[in-house]
């Protein structure tokens, strides 16, 4: 509130303090006194509005008062203070309507000035740190204009020293990355506690590309290199010296010489072993030492080269290779724009699909099903006989029911009836046996059935097995090995060697299973062939044994007698599936050396011999 006092009003001039009985109701009012009173009231109202606007906030728009008529204007009264009016007062007086007392106008101007000062003090009180800034600014400018002074109090409203204030302008946000950073506080902070802000990196310099001639090839050596000076390194780093330690290359040379000597020694040993026939241990080493020379033309390029040589392609340093003499871009070239779709091959596991088997029934269920089926067939036959489609069956007369069926005939001539009954029984038996013999398969049909089953089993997949036999000199053992392989439909080979014997068979899974059971369990490898009882049988047996040995390629009968079968064994060293058969039948062959056995088996089957040779039983470990 302003400290301006209300003008003193006398009891005569104040109409509110005048008694009711003192003022006559119809008394005439002095026009000059009435106009002066209205002007005073208006000035008071304007002063109160100015004070209210200064306290509450922004000044609301005030209604402009119409000036009083010219007849109501009051003459100006002389005043002592009117001789030296202030600039603000004169300015305010000039804005006021004419006819107002200068003293009143001065009071109004003073009230407005105080209202503005109070408004400024209210704004400064909200931020006490602005008071010191305003005070320092006024001192530097040297103006005598009174500045509003912030109220001094304790706590956070104490003004800070101007040297502690940071009046540096805030940098504007120049990039999208800085817009998410927290804003700096708008109030001043201590400079000692403010971290030094990282300098903003300068914007990257634009990369200038040097244009080359339109006809120049940038990938050739003749083209001028384009160097980007903006991104090129300023200084090239020097490469430091790296000294090799003493004796480094001497050790490398010594190592190379030792390797060359070792290879030469291995080669000489392999050659000498091959000449002596003992190349079983060095055959693998020979393959690794002697490498095949590369072919003149690779197999995938043969169809593209007419002369089967790479001379058909002309190579030049400055131009691309010339393919004009090749079959790459010709009409009969194997390279076309069409896609060749291979013929689909059935998957190997399709052969192993197991067909659904009927439900397994018990004996009681099988009898019940048979009884129901036969009853249905008999009922159908009786219905056909009742309808006359088939003739009725003759009565089954037996000796047991003779008198019950043929009562009158049996009484008249029992001998004749008995003979007829016996004849009918014999005829029924003969018909039954003839029917069974017709359903019985012949020998040819039996063999065909067995072969059909073998083929069906082979369609499920081919399997193989390898057996290692320590001694196979007994003729009965050889006969069983070969004969059972033929009966089971197996193909393979039996190799006789002084160190051990190898039996390699291939066929269906069922046949391999049965043959494995025969070789492992059924044949008694430690027992020799049975001796013949009669002397003539011994000669016959010796002739049979000699024939078997001659057939199998093994000569000499003393070997059997000198060889003991006490520690003879047979082990299955390998079993697994195969893609196709490798042998057309089962045969026996004598191979005295390992190399001859590998030659007999071939490159694809030679690994079985190595597996059998390296196999050791658990008891011997």
């Amino acid at each position: 509130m302003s400290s301006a006092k209300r003008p003193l009003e006398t009891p005569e001039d104040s109409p509110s303090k005048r008694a009711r009985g003192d003022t006559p109701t119809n008394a005439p009012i002095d026009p000059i006194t009435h106009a002066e009173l209205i002007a005073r009231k208006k000035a008071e109202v304007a002063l109160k509005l100015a004070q209210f606007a200064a306290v509450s906030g922004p000044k609301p728009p005030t209604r402009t008062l119409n000036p009083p008529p010219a007849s109501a204007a009051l003459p100006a009264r002389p005043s002592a203070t009117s001789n030296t009016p202030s600039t603000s007062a004169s300015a305010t007086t000039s804005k006021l309507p004419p006819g107002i007392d200068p003293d009143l106008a001065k009071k109004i101007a003073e009230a407005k000035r105080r209202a503005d000062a109070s408004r400024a003090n209210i704004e400064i009180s909200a931020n006490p740190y602005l008071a010191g800034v305003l005070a320092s600014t006024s001192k530097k400018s040297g103006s005598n204009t009174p500045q509003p002074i912030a109220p001094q109090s304790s706590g956070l409203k104490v003004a800070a020293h101007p040297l502690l204030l940071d009046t540096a302008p805030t940098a504007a946000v120049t990039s999208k990355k800085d817009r998410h950073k927290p804003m700096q506080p708008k109030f001043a902070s201590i400079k000692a506690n403010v971290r030094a802000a990282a300098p903003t990196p300068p914007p990257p310099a634009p990369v200038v590309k040097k244009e080359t001639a339109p006809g120049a090839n940038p990938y050739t050596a003749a083209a001028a290199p384009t160097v980007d000076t903006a991104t090129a390194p300023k200084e090239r780093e020097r490469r430091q010296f790296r000294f090799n330690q003493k004796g480094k290359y001497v050790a490398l040379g010594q190592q190379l010489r030792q390797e060359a000597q070792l290879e030469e020694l291995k080669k000489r040993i392999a050659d000498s072993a091959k000449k002596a026939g003992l190349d079983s241990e060095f055959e693998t080493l020979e393959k690794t030492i002697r490498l095949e020379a590369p072919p003149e033309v690779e197999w995938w390029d043969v169809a593209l080269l007419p002369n089967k040589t790479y001379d058909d392609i002309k190579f030049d340093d400055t131009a691309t290779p010339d393919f004009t003499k090749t079959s790459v871009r010709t009409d009969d070239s194997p390279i076309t724009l069409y896609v060749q779709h291979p013929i689909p091959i059935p998957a190997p596991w399709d052969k192993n699909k197991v067909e659904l088997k009927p439900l397994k029934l018990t004996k009681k269920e099988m009898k019940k099903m048979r009884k129901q089926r036969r009853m249905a067939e008999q009922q159908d036959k009786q219905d056909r006989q009742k309808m006359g489609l088939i003739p009725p069956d003759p009565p089954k007369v037996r000796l047991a029911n003779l008198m019950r069926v043929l009562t009158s005939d049996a009484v008249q001539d029992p001998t004749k009836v008995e003979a007829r009954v016996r004849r009918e029984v014999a005829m029924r038996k003969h018909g039954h046996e003839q029917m069974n013999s017709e359903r019985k398969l012949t020998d040819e049909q039996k063999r065909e059935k067995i072969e059909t089953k073998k083929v069906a089993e082979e369609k499920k997949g081919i399997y193989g097995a390898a057996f290692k036999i320590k001694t196979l000199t007994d003729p009965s053992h050889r006969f069983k090995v070969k004969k059972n392989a033929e009966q089971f439909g197996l193909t393979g080979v039996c190799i006789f060697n002084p160190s051990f014997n190898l039996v390699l068979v291939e066929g269906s899974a069922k046949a391999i299973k049965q043959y494995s059971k025969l070789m492992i369990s059924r044949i008694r490898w430690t027992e020799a062939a049975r001796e013949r009882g009669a002397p003539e049988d011994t000669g016959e047996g010796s002739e049979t044994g000699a024939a078997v040995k001659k057939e199998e390629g093994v000569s000499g009968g003393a070997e059997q007698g000198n060889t003991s079968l006490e520690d003879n064994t047979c082990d299955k060293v390998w079993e697994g599936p195969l893609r196709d058969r490798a042998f057309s039948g089962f045969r026996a062959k004598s191979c005295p050396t390992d190399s001859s056995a590998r030659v007999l088996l071939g490159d694809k089957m030679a690994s079985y011999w190595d597996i059998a040779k390296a196999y050791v039983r658990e008891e011997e470990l």
Side-chain angles (χ1 to χ4, degrees), residues 126 257 388 516 526:
R257 284 190 291 271
S516 300
T526 56

Side-chain angles (χ1 to χ4, degrees), residues 281-488:
E281 300 293 339
F282 305 99
E283 186 173 357
T284 306
L285 181 62
E286 181 182 1
K287 293 181 180 179
T288 57
I289 293 175
R290 296 184 180 180
L291 300 178
E292 296 182 0
E296 296 182 358
V297 180
E298 299 292 347
W299 62 267
W300 54 79
D301 295 332
V302 172
L304 302 176
L305 301 175
N307 299 329
K308 311 302 180 184
T309 176
Y310 286 111
D311 296 338
D312 298 339
I313 304 174
K314 293 183 178 180
F315 296 94
D316 195 354
D317 297 339
T318 59
T320 57
D322 186 9
F323 296 99
T324 55
K325 294 184 179 181
T326 61
S327 303
V328 177
R329 297 183 178 89
T330 57
D331 296 337
D332 56 346
S333 175
I335 302 175
T336 60
L337 54 88
Y338 301 104
V339 179
Q340 182 180 3
H341 298 279
I343 300 174
I345 301 175
W349 51 83
D350 292 343
K351 303 177 183 179
N352 300 333
K353 288 185 178 180
V354 181
E355 298 181 359
L356 297 178
K357 295 183 179 181
L359 185 63
K360 185 69 175 178
L361 302 177
T362 60
K363 291 290 184 180
K364 187 175 182 180
E365 291 173 343
M366 292 173 64
K367 290 182 179 180
K368 185 177 181 180
M369 294 289 292
R370 179 176 180 271
K371 182 179 180 180
Q372 291 177 355
R373 184 181 67 255
R374 290 169 63 87
M375 287 178 62
E377 293 175 357
Q378 185 68 15
Q379 185 66 29
D380 181 69
K381 183 178 180 180
Q382 291 177 0
D383 294 341
R384 289 173 180 271
Q385 291 175 357
K386 291 178 181 178
M387 295 171 62
L389 300 177
I390 56 176
D393 294 335
K396 275 188 178 181
V397 183
R398 298 176 299 171
L399 297 177
N401 58 0
L402 173 65
M403 300 301 296
R404 187 170 59 253
V405 176
L406 303 174
T407 55
S408 58
D409 297 341
V411 172
Q412 294 178 1
D413 193 354
T415 306
K416 183 179 178 180
V417 172
E418 182 180 355
R420 185 167 64 91
V421 170
R422 290 182 180 276
R423 189 168 54 252
E424 291 178 357
V425 171
M427 290 179 61
R428 287 197 298 270
K429 182 180 180 181
H430 178 71
H432 179 73
E433 291 177 353
Q434 185 179 2
M435 191 183 302
N436 290 342
S437 62
E438 291 176 358
R439 288 197 301 266
K440 188 178 181 180
L441 299 177
T442 60
D443 296 341
E444 184 178 356
Q445 291 176 346
K446 288 180 180 180
R447 288 191 295 269
E448 184 179 357
K449 183 179 180 181
I450 293 173
E451 294 298 329
T452 303
K453 287 185 177 181
K454 291 179 181 179
V455 172
E457 290 292 335
E458 290 179 3
K459 288 182 178 179
K460 297 179 181 180
I462 302 297
Y463 289 81
F467 301 91
K468 179 181 179 181
I469 304 173
K470 187 175 182 179
T471 304
L472 191 58
T473 57
D474 191 76
S476 63
H477 294 167
R478 297 185 180 188
F479 177 79
K480 292 177 183 178
V481 168
K482 183 177 181 180
K483 194 63 177 179
N484 282 276
E486 294 175 353
Q487 291 178 353
F488 288 133

Side-chain angles (χ1 to χ4, degrees), residues 74-122:
L74 297 177
R77 293 183 180 182
S79 175
T81 61
S82 63
N83 296 331
T84 59
S86 63
T87 306
S88 60
S90 62
T92 308
T93 307
S94 62
K95 295 180 181 180
L96 293 175
I100 299 178
D101 188 6
D103 295 338
L104 182 60
K106 185 178 180 181
K107 292 180 179 180
I108 293 173
E110 184 68 20
K112 289 184 177 182
R113 187 183 64 79
R114 292 180 178 179
D116 294 338
S118 64
R119 189 185 305 112
N121 291 335
I122 292 172

